[in-house]
Amino acid sequence: MTAYGPERDAITLTGLRGKGFHGVFDFEKATGQEFVVDIVLHADLRAAGASDDLADTVNYGVVADLAMARLTGPSFDLIEALAEAIASDVLALGELVAVDVTVHKPTAPIAHAFADVSVTIRRRRTAEFVVALGSNLGDRVATLGAAVEELRAAPGVRVDAVSQLVETDPVGGPEQADYLNAALVGHTELTPPDLLAALHRIEARHGRVRAVRWGERTLDLDLIQYGTPGGPDEVSSDDPALLLPHPRANERAFVLVTWSDADPSARVRVGERVVGVAERLAKLDRTGVRPGPPWPGGDSAAAAGNSAGASGDQATGGDHADADTPPATGDHAAAGDPSVAGDHAAAGDPSLAGDHAAAGDHAAAGDHAAAGDHAAAGNPAAGGAHGDR
Ligand SMILES: Nc1ncnc2c1ncn2[C@@H]1O[C@H](COP(=O)(O)OP(=O)(O)OP(=O)(O)O)[C@@H](O)[C@H]1O
Ligand SMILES: Nc1nc2c(c(=O)[nH]1)N=C(CO)CN2
């Protein structure tokens, strides 16, 4: 079965009942009462229908075991919290598009005659995704910045981190102007085709036309990876309309430099193997990839929406006034660091606080800068602008 797809098929389990000790009041926790759980598992059941094999579907017995363990297990105050815990456990099975959980508390302490009280929640599975952004026509910085914002605003999409911009020599295609490239990592409830459609809509809004293969473009948004490579939610596709993982990404320095900046611990599939993006990058020629201009507002954290009073190096650098001009005397240049890794965290923003990495992680991840470069550049929180992931 595929773990994404239309919410067309469902397995429904109702009336799962048992004694639990959930409730706000002490007497509820001490005495216990009956709770009843209904669960709807949304999944694509076509494969199981065709194969008649339990391995191709979700075993409802396992789902019932998980729910009963929560129902009879440690006490929650709220039935909302019990429902959340059940949904989380069931979604972790990794085979579902979504799950609906209803928790009934028919003997709740309500001072009136009543039939039942319940909560119902729907939780969808999300998958990590990676998008590469490129532009070499028009106001490149403005277009890329707008694309990031539009993706942030897209329903079912959460942007976790955005790389800094790099300026890059065109790879392939006719003679054309240099590109600005960036990468973005996030989580989505959308299926891969729906996510690609959202990317295409954003491209179209920015006047993207497809005249020449690998020709100049106002905006290019490529879906590089969907799901965790080697994990149960990894999506591979040989459909020409959506190839996953993107077949050329692991050969493109402009993709891997920016991707490893956005997520220094990122991993990528290369044939049968899954390797660190930084490790893969070490094998590539990076001469065509240079530091780019800052994002509007000063750093990539702003582009990611994490815009708390950027005290990052680029934010304070007056030499970056021309947004479309690569920094000449910025910290990257001063540090002699050809990478984009590093100084885009706002020191004062707790949401940016060193999620992935201290400076050393960049270096340990095989990045081109030694950790000392970041430190020498006065970087307050190298690698920290990766949001809540
Ligand atoms: N992973 C993918 N991400 C984006 N588009 C894809 C992907 N796989 C296949 N495509 C298809 O490729 C077609 C051409 O896309 P596009 O014009 O953006 O290619 P490109 O960016 O010029 O080249 P490249 O794919 O080498 O980066 C699109 O119609 C799209 O449906
Ligand atoms: N430097 C650079 N070269 C490219 C790019 C790009 O984004 N940057 N995109 C291409 C097709 O997607 C082809 N070549």
Side-chain angles (χ1 to χ4, degrees), residues 208 210 214 217 220 222-223 240-243 246 248 252:
R208 170 71 190 271
R210 289 185 165 79
W214 295 339
R217 69 273 314 269
D220 186 31
D222 288 337
L223 184 54
L242 178 52
L243 296 162
H246 191 290
R248 289 165 289 284
R252 291 176 168 171

Side-chain angles (χ1 to χ4, degrees), residues 110-130:
I110 296 175
H112 305 279
F114 73 103
D116 187 22
V117 61
S118 67
V119 300
T120 299
I121 62 171
R122 171 169 294 186
R123 294 294 174 263
R124 294 170 194 279
R125 166 188 159 277
T126 63
E128 192 176 41
F129 70 92
V130 181

Side-chain angles (χ1 to χ4, degrees), residues 130 132 171 179 196 199-200 203 208-215 217 219-225 237 239-249 252 254-255:
V130 181
V171 175
Y179 279 81
L196 182 68
L199 298 180
H200 283 168
E203 286 180 342
R208 170 71 190 271
V209 288
R210 289 185 165 79
V212 181
R213 189 176 190 212
W214 295 339
R217 69 273 314 269
L219 179 62
D220 186 31
L221 299 175
D222 288 337
L223 184 54
I224 300 303
Q225 183 168 283
S237 165
D239 177 353
L242 178 52
L243 296 162
L244 283 172
H246 191 290
R248 289 165 289 284
R252 291 176 168 171
F254 65 83
V255 173

Side-chain angles (χ1 to χ4, degrees), residues 23-71:
V24 171
F25 300 113
D26 288 345
F27 69 85
E28 295 184 277
K29 294 189 195 301
T31 314
Q33 62 192 299
E34 184 178 65
F35 292 83
V36 183
V37 173
D38 303 329
I39 299 175
V40 182
L41 308 166
H42 298 274
D44 184 343
L45 303 179
R46 284 173 293 191
S51 70
D52 196 20
D53 185 345
L54 182 62
D56 287 333
T57 187
V58 186
N59 184 341
Y60 47 67
V62 171
V63 171
D65 289 345
L66 290 172
M68 280 306 282
R70 288 295 190 175
L71 193 161

Side-chain angles (χ1 to χ4, degrees), residues 164-256:
Q164 295 200 51
L165 292 164
V166 291
E167 187 154 53
T168 65
D169 294 343
V171 175
E175 198 171 318
Q176 55 190 302
D178 287 352
Y179 279 81
L180 288 185
N181 286 108
L184 173 159
V185 299
H187 280 80
T188 187
E189 293 174 352
L190 302 180
T191 65
D194 286 348
L195 180 57
L196 182 68
L199 298 180
H200 283 168
R201 279 193 296 274
I202 295 172
E203 286 180 342
R205 225 175 280 144
H206 291 279
R208 170 71 190 271
V209 288
R210 289 185 165 79
V212 181
R213 189 176 190 212
W214 295 339
E216 61 183 7
R217 69 273 314 269
T218 52
L219 179 62
D220 186 31
L221 299 175
D222 288 337
L223 184 54
I224 300 303
Q225 183 168 283
Y226 183 102
T228 306
D233 68 345
E234 175 182 15
V235 174
S236 303
S237 165
D238 56 8
D239 177 353
L242 178 52
L243 296 162
L244 283 172
H246 191 290
R248 289 165 289 284
N250 67 53
E251 287 148 17
R252 291 176 168 171
F254 65 83
V255 173
L256 301 193

Side-chain angles (χ1 to χ4, degrees), residues 151-163:
L151 208 44
R152 286 178 57 76
V157 174
R158 190 183 88 207
V159 172
D160 297 323
V162 183
S163 74

Side-chain angles (χ1 to χ4, degrees), residues 347-361:
D349 183 352
S351 75
L352 305 182
D355 236 51
H356 294 311
D361 285 351

